[in-house]
Amino acid sequence: MSKAALFYVAMAKDSNGVIHSCNSVDMLCTISGLKCSTSYKVYVIASNFMCNSSESDMFTIETVPCPPNNLTANLDCAANEALISWHGSVSSYTATIIDSSQRLLSCSSTATNCKIPNLKCGELYTVTVSQHDGNCSSMPSTHIYMESGRKIFKIH
């Protein structure tokens, strides 16, 4: 806070020198358009329209991880489970499948795959994966679809 300030400009600068900013008459504002998995140096300047202050102390932030990519889902009919695989860059993941009734099943892993058991037969599932860096979770990956096995009826 600065007594002579009429507004503030918060800035986030990436390693390429690209700056994203927001303005506020209050003590906070939201900087939008930041890239995932990117380090930014963040600082604030105060202004009274005539003069700008020097930059505040800088600190570094790391944005949320990017979503995993190259998502695949394979059905193991004998075990009635889905093997979900992906590519990611952190050490903790959650794979989620949702059926047409919005029933959610999930698995967590420190590897880039995990198995989700107890599928319903003949169901179309929407599959996504998120990564966790210990502080924040990524947005879900682009979804894919997986269809579970069909029931086989025996006629006597």
Side-chain angles (χ1 to χ4, degrees):
M1 182 172 179
S2 174
K3 287 186 178 185
L6 298 176
F7 71 99
Y8 300 89
V9 181
M11 296 185 211
K13 183 177 178 181
D14 69 17
S15 61
N16 296 321
V18 176
I19 296 175
H20 298 268
S21 64
C22 62
N23 303 323
S24 178
V25 295
D26 294 320
M27 297 286 107
L28 69 108
C29 64
T30 301
I31 300 174
S32 59
L34 302 181
K35 294 180 183 176
C36 57
S37 294
T38 303
S39 289
Y40 288 91
K41 298 225 183 272
V42 180
Y43 55 95
V44 177
I45 60 169
S47 181
N48 65 6
F49 292 109
M50 303 286 268
C51 299
N52 293 336
S53 71
S54 57
E55 296 171 353
S56 67
D57 290 338
M58 283 193 192
F59 62 97
T60 302
I61 62 166
E62 180 78 23
T63 56
V64 299
C66 293
N69 57 21
N70 296 340
L71 182 61
T72 62
N74 295 300
L75 176 65
D76 180 342
C77 291
N80 196 32
E81 64 187 14
L83 174 60
I84 314 298
S85 301
W86 57 88
H87 292 147
S89 61
V90 296
S91 60
S92 180
Y93 305 90
T94 301
T96 303
I97 63 175
I98 300 173
D99 67 17
S100 59
S101 301
Q102 300 303 304
R103 188 180 96 155
L104 182 138
L105 297 170
S106 66
C107 58
S108 296
S109 178
T110 56
T112 55
N113 63 66
C114 64
K115 293 179 181 178
I116 299 178
N118 304 320
L119 304 181
K120 292 196 300 189
C121 290
E123 190 69 49
L124 181 65
Y125 288 96
T126 303
V127 182
T128 59
V129 178
S130 298
Q131 351 191 61
H132 319 282
D133 66 4
N135 293 316
C136 299
S137 294
S138 72
M139 295 295 291
S141 63
T142 301
H143 68 272
I144 62 170
Y145 296 104
M146 183 200 75
E147 190 168 2
S148 62
R150 300 273 180 210
K151 282 187 180 176
I152 299 175
F153 295 98
K154 293 184 180 179
I155 300 175
H156 297 282

